[in-house]
Amino acid sequence: MSTKIIIISFSFILSLTLVQAQTTNFVNQDSKLVGLAEPQWFKDNIPFLEVPDTQIEEVYYYRFSSHKRHLRYSIPGAGYTITEFVHKVGYSQKFDTINDAAGHHIYESRWLRNPRYAQDYINFWTREGAGGEQQYSEWIADAAYATYLVTGNKPFILSQLPGFVNNFNGWGNSFEPTLNLYFISPLLDAMEYSASSLPTDDPFGGGIGYRPSFNSEMYANAIAISKIARLNNDTSIAEEFEGRAEAIRRAILDYLWDDERTFFYHMYREDNPNNGLLESRENIGFFPWRFGVPDPQDPKYERAWEHLFDSQGFSSRYGPTTCEQRSPYFDGNQTSQCCWWNGNSWPYSTGFILNSLAAQIKNYRETNLVNIDTFMQVLHTYAETQYKNDKPYVAECHSPYNKNWVCDSFNHSEHYAHSTYIDNVLGDLLGIEPQVNNSFVISPLIPSSWSYFIIENLLYHGHNITILYDKDGSKYNTTGGMKIFLNGELAASQPEVGRMSLNIPEPIIDDSYSRKKVENYASNTNSYGYPMVDASFTSVYDSSVWHAVDGRIFYDLFPSNRWHNFESPNEVDWFSVDFGPGRQKTVDQVKIYVYSDVATGEGNVDCPENVSVEYLSSASPDETWEPAQNQTSTPSTCSPNDVLIIHFDPVKTQKVRLVFSRNVEDNWFVGMTEVEIWAPWPQVEEEGIYEAEDGLITNANIRAAESASGGSYVAQIDANDASVEFTGIWVEQEGEYEVKVYYSNGIENEATMSVKVNNLQTVTATFPPTVNGWGEFDSNTFVTLRLPLLRGNNVLIFRHGDNFAELDKIMITM
């Protein structure tokens, strides 16, 4: 594909959105988005909700805004991940991810209209992230299958099956075959300082055992894998994982349930010859219902719910508590201690419990204790908990008795992404039950006191769905009753709230988001190396040039994530992005996420008076900065805490800079939470080529060379942990491919690198000495590998081995 063709198609690609079928217009969207930054993003991405419970509704929109804060763009080819903390923590993995809440993240993301967020993140965990090297307990396969049920994207979920199997098998060292149970410490089950670990010699990380939480999650993963295998007509894998799932389920019921104390318990692995169960109940004992573990034919299990509503059990003002209050290890009086699971109310587990309550009602049976009213009681308390200073807010954990967040450290855990809420509203309260076939099913848990509810702008199998209930028709000017609209047309109705189902057309799959066609060349997740950023002036107050290219977009004063020039003596300042030595890219737009604390009444940073784009021209002898031609802004006038897109005639350049003029009259300054430079990707001369300098580079450097493809290559891959990661390697079908690796090796001895393929297997690449020496490349100097690639976006990680080699590009052919 020629550069010219890429540029012609670029404007079209950027304008691509999901196929927009007709929809309804009952909800005033603007009124729901008051105070939220980037309102258009919400209009493009979320289902709109109206319910009579003000707090449930208000927290619903807040939780979409908090979720948006954690959608992090990583690097070209890999795309979006989702963070747990707004800033990096020491124990996070690649791109600051942590897998303990990945299932929560995926369940929340499945309701976004743009499928790329969930797809990129799932692909990260199956091919690029964990790769069989587990960190915390997880239910990623289960969440991914649940996402497929919403999107209907069968090719994508089938392509992920090998990664799900690999991740599942990665837990093999934590499996006890004599019990058919998995063991883990409470710490690695994301629940340190719990009633399971406090009685041990290591209160923080001790207490390894068999837990109803982790084993239920592994059961759910096995079920998901078996269902995906059935979709793929893979009988062998399906039967294997059906058998593994049933063995785990049976073991949970046999070993972790106590008939006398009517609950599921932690069982220690060590010094426990009789398989005795923990003395204290923990709320992980409610998790099995969420995944369908208890036997629906045996009513004894439903007695567990007595403890949820018992004031000596888990019931509290802002509960449920994580440990029953009658336990000697319970502590509900903490005010600031982080990470204690022996009493505080954690949204992480409350989201699970709400799932389980809804499952008991819908999949088992209602009881005197578990019914729509008590479900609503727990959901409303959950919403009420998520406030701080009378504004919606979520942190790590909350006092069970007092109106304060306990784990809420400054500039760290604000808007903590460690739980579900959106999924509890849409999947549990409204009862949307995504199906594998061409049907839409809803079974709401709506109290009789409600006279209306609506969910609008819901994308399901590629179709627009609206569900509303209007008791007498006065709220939405319709006839009374419950209705489903399909692509803007009334498709079904009934007079009362209740279960409804509807046949729908085949899924509409928008695959434009699957293959990477445009990527953000400004992003730098490392905060060093390239892309390199600089500015004429950077404030010393909560400002960094790296914050503007870290892939994180949010507009809060705290937590801070911005570059600004507060106290600059200049009327005009600039901010530049350098792609790397010799690394020229053809670009025609810049997206600026304008930060304003003037708009929120918190400071002196606001929209610039003017902003223009310049590029470093290699045409002139002294490489001068030139203004981009025919610049236009969208919107034409800057809007604070929103996106400003500057379009211009395409230019090929190594460096781009933004020139800002500030409001001198009011002495206001300028700032950005992020700058993005989206452009065609990969920018190559031929299909199947991927440049080394476009990948994730660890402990190595980009160098310029006229002989290198694209004008640059990766050198100094010398350190033991040095690597070059090629991401987003697209193939249409699974199979073995020829991979040509273009390189240089300037010593007399051959060099080696290990090549990890989608974190599934590793091969060794051998690089003989090259005639031309270091930093010189030609079309005949390459080594050929035969590698198995999967449909979709593949990842190849080249790691330093023996001696040294430099990498220019790879070429993929069948």
Side-chain angles (χ1 to χ4, degrees):
M1 182 182 291
S2 70
T3 301
K4 183 176 181 181
I5 293 175
I6 292 175
I7 295 304
I8 289 174
S9 65
F10 182 36
S11 296
F12 168 72
I13 292 169
L14 283 176
S15 66
L16 275 176
T17 57
L18 290 173
V19 176
Q20 295 294 322
Q22 293 296 312
T23 187
T24 57
N25 294 286
F26 293 106
V27 178
N28 183 334
Q29 296 183 357
D30 291 330
S31 69
K32 305 300 179 184
L33 303 177
V34 172
L36 296 182
E38 285 186 68
Q40 189 59 48
W41 183 91
F42 294 89
K43 293 178 180 180
D44 292 340
N45 279 285
I46 76 167
F48 281 80
L49 172 78
E50 280 187 344
V51 294
D53 189 310
T54 302
Q55 289 173 309
I56 287 177
E57 179 180 313
E58 190 173 31
V59 173
Y60 174 85
Y61 289 103
Y62 161 72
R63 286 299 297 259
F64 267 119
S65 75
S66 66
H67 189 69
K68 181 181 181 297
R69 287 171 170 88
H70 292 273
L71 298 172
R72 186 190 188 188
Y73 183 87
S74 58
I75 62 169
Y80 287 93
T81 57
I82 302 175
T83 61
E84 181 175 320
F85 293 86
V86 290
H87 292 314
K88 181 178 178 64
V89 294
Y91 52 91
S92 60
Q93 296 179 307
K94 185 186 296 182
F95 306 142
D96 301 342
T97 58
I98 306 173
N99 75 328
D100 66 338
H104 283 328
H105 297 159
I106 296 168
Y107 266 96
E108 298 286 87
S109 296
R110 69 177 180 153
W111 302 108
L112 293 172
R113 293 177 63 85
N114 186 340
R116 178 169 184 179
Y117 298 119
Q119 285 181 7
D120 283 359
Y121 192 51
I122 293 167
N123 203 77
F124 169 81
W125 287 117
T126 58
R127 301 184 184 182
E128 193 167 358
E133 299 173 2
Q134 314 303 343
Q135 187 183 22
Y136 293 95
S137 56
E138 47 83 11
W139 58 105
I140 292 171
D142 166 76
Y145 181 76
T147 300
Y148 154 69
L149 294 180
V150 173
T151 65
N153 192 333
K154 185 175 177 180
F156 175 78
I157 198 66
L158 294 183
S159 73
Q160 304 300 306
L161 181 59
F164 295 143
V165 172
N166 184 50
N167 286 353
F168 190 98
N169 290 336
W171 290 107
N173 291 333
S174 298
F175 183 67
E176 176 49 65
T178 62
L179 300 176
N180 283 319
L181 288 173
Y182 288 84
F183 56 88
I184 199 169
S185 70
L187 168 64
L188 296 183
D189 202 23
M191 301 176 192
E192 57 272 48
Y193 291 120
S194 70
S196 303
S197 60
L198 288 172
T200 73
D201 294 336
D202 182 3
F204 174 71
I208 292 175
Y210 309 96
R211 297 171 64 76
S213 47
F214 181 37
N215 281 281
S216 296
E217 292 158 8
M218 291 301 289
Y219 165 75
N221 283 334
I223 288 292
I225 290 170
S226 68
K227 289 181 177 179
I228 297 167
R230 289 287 180 197
L231 287 174
N232 201 35
N233 297 316
D234 192 328
T235 304
S236 176
I237 290 180
E239 291 179 349
E240 175 191 350
F241 278 87
E242 286 164 355
R244 294 171 81 168
E246 180 55 28
I248 297 168
R249 191 187 77 87
R250 190 69 260 164
I252 294 171
L253 301 180
D254 288 346
Y255 291 104
L256 303 186
W257 172 263
D258 187 319
D259 276 339
E260 292 185 5
R261 294 184 293 157
T262 60
F263 209 66
F264 289 102
Y265 290 86
H266 175 101
M267 183 174 78
Y268 287 120
R269 173 173 169 79
E270 300 168 353
D271 302 320
N272 188 19
N274 296 321
N275 293 331
L277 298 175
L278 190 71
E279 293 180 2
S280 300
R281 295 180 183 89
E282 301 171 286
N283 69 11
I284 58 173
F286 296 115
F287 286 22
W289 280 265
R290 184 247 188 277
F291 298 112
V293 172
D295 185 351
Q297 303 304 316
D298 194 337
K300 71 178 182 180
Y301 296 106
E302 66 192 33
R303 288 194 59 196
W305 295 108
E306 297 171 6
H307 309 293
L308 181 65
F309 300 102
D310 185 347
S311 61
Q312 291 298 306
F314 299 95
S315 178
S316 68
R317 176 67 184 85
Y318 296 101
T321 60
T322 47
C323 171
E324 62 176 340
Q325 294 160 86
R326 62 172 61 89
S327 168
Y329 301 105
F330 174 80
D331 182 359
N333 298 310
Q334 298 172 19
T335 58
S336 61
Q337 293 169 293
C338 175
C339 309
W340 288 72
W341 283 80
N342 64 330
N344 292 325
S345 172
W346 282 79
Y348 176 96
S349 54
T350 303
F352 267 120
I353 291 169
L354 281 162
N355 292 147
S356 291
L357 274 170
Q360 172 66 46
I361 296 170
K362 296 178 182 180
N363 303 331
Y364 295 84
R365 73 182 187 101
E366 287 193 65
T367 72
N368 290 334
L369 277 176
V370 182
N371 50 55
I372 289 177
D373 291 336
T374 54
F375 168 82
M376 280 300 303
Q377 172 190 326
V378 178
L379 177 61
H380 180 84
T381 298
Y382 187 35
E384 193 176 11
T385 301
Q386 296 178 74
Y387 279 83
K388 180 180 178 180
N389 299 327
D390 298 323
K391 294 181 179 180
Y393 182 84
V394 65
E396 292 190 51
C397 63
H398 196 281
S399 167
Y401 303 139
N402 302 306
K403 193 175 181 179
N404 68 280
W405 289 94
V406 177
C407 310
D408 187 18
S409 49
F410 177 75
N411 212 27
H412 171 65
S413 62
E414 298 94 338
H415 316 296
Y416 188 45
H418 197 237
S419 61
T420 55
Y421 179 83
I422 297 161
D423 192 69
N424 298 118
V425 171
L426 297 178
D428 298 331
L429 172 64
L430 296 189
I432 299 168
E433 300 178 0
Q435 303 293 310
V436 70
N437 57 16
N438 297 330
S439 66
F440 177 80
V441 176
I442 182 169
S443 183
L445 299 181
I446 300 300
S448 58
S449 60
W450 282 16
S451 61
Y452 70 90
F453 73 84
I454 189 171
I455 193 72
E456 187 174 56
N457 205 41
L458 173 72
L459 193 70
Y460 176 80
H461 288 202
H463 302 283
N464 281 324
I465 302 285
T466 295
I467 311 105
L468 69 80
Y469 168 67
D470 189 344
K471 186 173 184 178
D472 59 11
S474 61
K475 175 70 175 178
Y476 299 110
N477 296 318
T478 66
T479 56
M482 185 171 161
K483 298 173 173 59
I484 301 177
F485 293 81
L486 174 65
N487 297 325
E489 299 293 332
L490 180 62
S493 63
Q494 64 186 32
E496 301 295 337
V497 173
R499 184 178 181 86
M500 293 184 71
S501 62
L502 176 71
N503 292 329
I504 62 172
E506 290 283 337
I508 300 173
I509 306 303
D510 184 356
D511 244 359
S512 63
Y513 292 95
S514 297
R515 182 170 188 175
K516 313 302 183 187
K517 297 180 180 179
V518 291
E519 293 291 279
N520 173 22
Y521 286 100
S523 179
N524 185 323
T525 59
N526 293 324
S527 296
Y528 61 82
Y530 294 97
M532 180 74 70
V533 286
D534 196 7
S536 57
F537 186 93
T538 298
S539 176
V540 297
Y541 299 103
D542 298 304
S543 176
S544 168
V545 290
W546 294 111
H547 283 170
V549 292
D550 64 0
R552 297 178 170 96
I553 299 172
F554 51 89
Y555 302 85
D556 304 299
L557 184 65
F558 296 108
S560 58
N561 182 63
R562 54 190 173 270
W563 166 84
H564 60 84
N565 68 344
F566 176 65
E567 291 192 339
S568 171
N570 309 316
E571 182 177 345
V572 175
D573 278 308
W574 54 261
F575 183 99
S576 66
V577 179
D578 181 347
F579 300 130
R583 189 174 177 236
Q584 294 193 336
K585 299 299 177 185
T586 301
V587 300
D588 70 355
Q589 67 143 271
V590 175
K591 296 182 75 172
I592 304 167
Y593 295 80
V594 179
Y595 174 79
S596 171
D597 50 28
V598 168
T600 57
E602 296 169 305
N604 300 88
V605 177
D606 200 24
C607 277
E609 289 284 284
N610 183 65
V611 58
S612 61
V613 178
E614 296 181 346
Y615 68 98
L616 193 67
S617 174
S618 58
S620 59
D622 54 352
E623 290 194 321
T624 59
W625 289 99
E626 300 283 349
Q629 298 299 303
N630 296 317
Q631 298 185 41
T632 59
S633 297
T634 306
S636 58
T637 303
C638 174
S639 179
N641 296 329
D642 211 334
V643 186
L644 179 67
I645 306 175
I646 303 179
H647 301 269
F648 46 87
D649 291 346
V651 295
K652 187 173 184 178
T653 183
Q654 179 184 318
K655 298 181 182 180
V656 174
R657 76 177 182 183
L658 304 172
V659 180
F660 296 97
S661 300
R662 68 185 184 91
N663 183 337
V664 177
E665 181 178 349
D666 293 317
N667 199 29
W668 289 344
F669 300 87
V670 297
M672 305 180 292
T673 181
E674 195 75 5
V675 58
E676 296 177 337
I677 303 177
W678 292 83
W681 189 88
Q683 294 191 19
V684 292
E685 295 180 354
E686 189 176 343
E687 178 79 15
I689 290 177
Y690 297 87
E691 301 284 355
E693 62 271 18
D694 286 346
L696 178 64
I697 301 168
T698 303
N699 282 346
N701 292 292
I702 297 176
R703 292 287 182 264
E706 291 186 2
S707 63
S709 171
S712 56
Y713 64 101
V714 178
Q716 295 179 305
I717 315 172
D718 303 342
N720 289 334
D721 62 344
S723 64
V724 178
E725 183 170 327
F726 292 84
T727 55
I729 299 170
W730 178 269
V731 296
E732 291 287 349
Q733 61 186 43
E734 179 179 346
E736 189 173 86
Y737 286 78
E738 181 179 271
V739 180
K740 294 180 179 178
V741 185
Y742 293 79
Y743 74 100
S744 67
N745 175 3
I747 59 176
E748 295 182 358
N749 299 317
E750 68 180 18
T752 63
M753 289 187 183
S754 66
V755 183
K756 203 165 191 179
V757 185
N758 291 321
N759 273 314
L760 296 174
Q761 67 180 81
T762 302
V763 301
T764 299
T766 301
F767 301 95
T770 52
V771 175
N772 296 326
W774 297 114
E776 295 294 332
F777 306 91
D778 60 59
S779 60
N780 297 314
T781 304
F782 58 85
V783 297
T784 301
L785 307 173
R786 295 291 298 180
L787 301 177
L789 301 180
L790 302 172
R791 183 194 183 275
N793 296 290
N794 292 262
V795 180
L796 300 181
I797 305 175
F798 287 72
R799 299 190 187 278
H800 174 260
D802 296 326
N803 299 318
F804 313 105
E806 300 170 328
L807 299 180
D808 179 20
K809 66 181 179 182
I810 59 174
M811 177 180 286
I812 313 294
T813 55
M814 188 70 173

